[in-house]
């Protein structure tokens, strides 16, 4: 199953990824998944301080634990409405 | 009524569906695409969303509005995708017996939507495009 | 646009006429006839007016709203005569670049209309009719 | 020409008059016109303390002077909207 990982808006542009999957093993928390993609896509570092993290469609702090089947999302401050 | 849609929002239809004989006040907020932003001419907009979370957050805000204010019902409709100048990106309709809570709930709702609903606006100018980040 | 009319108010048409490409927010207040008041079942309403003064006061309030708040334009349309439950007696539409002044101006306008515009509502119940005096 | 006098809502009901004319002579101010109709229609007295007075489509105090050609109106607190 793995963990579904989503990027939106400028973070999708920075990674070139909208949606992907990672194996759950080796990722203790949401922040570790961000770190993984920031290493592969250095442009993502620019967004580290402003990015919002979501776990299963709810805002989450980076240290929230993740497990197989979770959906994790990274995105900039929202601008809808 | 909480919706994310890709077609133009029919404000009148939303209002007609919401209104009941016991309502004395209807307050409607329409967010529309304007032709300028930050001193630049805007040609059109695109709205992107984390749809499942956005809909969930919109439903939560609607429930909060009904809990915090003495209103009977509320509709929040956000459009996604490409929008031309003058088109409506969001419509909030609040129906209640009296006007005070309807105004308060409508304003609370649009302010909160702009803070917490994962939707992003991209502005297209004559000389480029920019993701807008953060609410105003 | 400041009107006293006797036919149903076409809210969408009023909004469409008011809105311009530089507007980012439209706030609409609709006062509607509700089916109860003071614990009584209302069958229908009739609104009477001192028309020349009412129109003059509505124009004054519209001008005040534009002076007090950073809005681009405002429409105030009050209907007179017989109105059924659910029908709209007044519509206020405010268009502006940003939402804050639009909400403030819309609320100021309906509050002020209810204080100073010489229009009176008569409520018809199953067992009689009463002139309503004074604003709520 | 005279002075045009208007009554609205419950004050029209109390007097049975919606619109009439009075001669300007003998009426120094708006209040004196109200008094005149209150004498003819005693029911109007019930509204004396709450009634609003208008002169030429603007609110006015009772002691505002009137002259030929003016329009005076008497009505209860408004309830539009």
């Amino acid at each position: 199953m793995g963990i579904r990982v989503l990027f939106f808006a400028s973070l999708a542009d920075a990674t070139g990824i909208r949606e992907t999957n990672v194996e759950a093993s080796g990722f203790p928390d949401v922040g570790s998944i961000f770190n993984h993609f920031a290493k592969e896509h250095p442009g993502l570092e620019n967004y580290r301080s402003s990015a919002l993290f979501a776990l299963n469609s709810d805002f989450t702090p980076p240290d929230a634990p993740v497990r197989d089947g979770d959906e994790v999302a990274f995105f900039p401050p929202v601008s809808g409405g | 009524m909480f919706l994310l849609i890709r077609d133009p929002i029919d404000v009148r239809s939303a209002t007609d569906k919401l209104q009941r004989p016991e309502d004395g006040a209807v307050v409607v907020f329409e967010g529309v695409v304007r032709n300028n932003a930050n001193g630049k001419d805007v040609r059109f907009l695109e709205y992107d969303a984390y749809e499942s979370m956005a809909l969930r957050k919109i439903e939560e805000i609607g429930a909060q509005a009904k809990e915090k204010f003495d209103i009977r019902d509320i509709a929040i409709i956000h459009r996604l995708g490409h929008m031309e100048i003058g088109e409506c990106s969001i419509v909030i309709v609040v129906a209640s017996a009296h006007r005070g809570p309807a105004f308060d709930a409508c304003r609370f709702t649009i302010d909160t939507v702009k803070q917490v609903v994962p939707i992003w606006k991209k502005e297209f100018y004559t000389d480029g495009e920019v993701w807008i980040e953060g609410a105003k």
Side-chain angles (χ1 to χ4, degrees), chain B residues 31-112:
Chain B
V32 287
V33 178
R34 63 196 176 98
N35 64 6
N36 71 90
N38 308 313
K40 286 195 160 191
D41 286 346
V42 175
R43 287 165 54 226
F44 59 89
L45 291 192
E46 281 181 19
Y47 279 89
D48 192 15
Y50 179 11
E51 291 196 36
S52 60
M53 180 171 170
L55 191 55
R56 185 173 160 173
K57 287 289 155 197
I58 282 174
E59 289 168 348
E60 282 177 16
I61 295 166
Q64 281 170 36
K66 284 169 90 164
E67 202 176 289
K68 286 170 75 85
F69 303 100
D70 185 18
I71 60 172
R72 194 190 51 73
D73 205 0
I74 181 169
I76 308 173
I77 305 171
H78 204 306
R79 187 177 167 195
L80 303 176
H82 179 102
M83 270 162 264
E84 299 287 336
I85 305 302
E87 288 195 297
C88 205
S89 56
I90 185 168
V91 170
I92 297 165
V93 183
V94 181
S96 61
H98 302 291
R99 68 189 181 282
F103 274 110
D104 292 341
C106 193
R107 192 156 187 176
F108 161 84
T109 299
I110 180 61
D111 288 350
T112 311

Side-chain angles (χ1 to χ4, degrees), chain B residues 12-30:
Chain B
R12 182 70 345 217
S13 155
T15 307
D16 288 346
K17 275 179 197 151
L18 201 75
Q19 199 187 314
R20 294 280 175 275
E22 61 266 38
D23 298 326
V26 175
V27 173
V28 181
F29 173 78
E30 302 177 30

Side-chain angles (χ1 to χ4, degrees), chain A residues 10-36:
Chain A
S10 52
L11 275 67
D13 292 349
T15 57
I17 300 169
R18 170 81 171 194
E19 179 179 340
T20 188
N21 274 271
V22 296
E23 290 295 324
S25 60
F27 292 113
D29 56 25
V30 176
S32 67
I33 298 176
F34 187 90
N35 293 341
H36 167 75

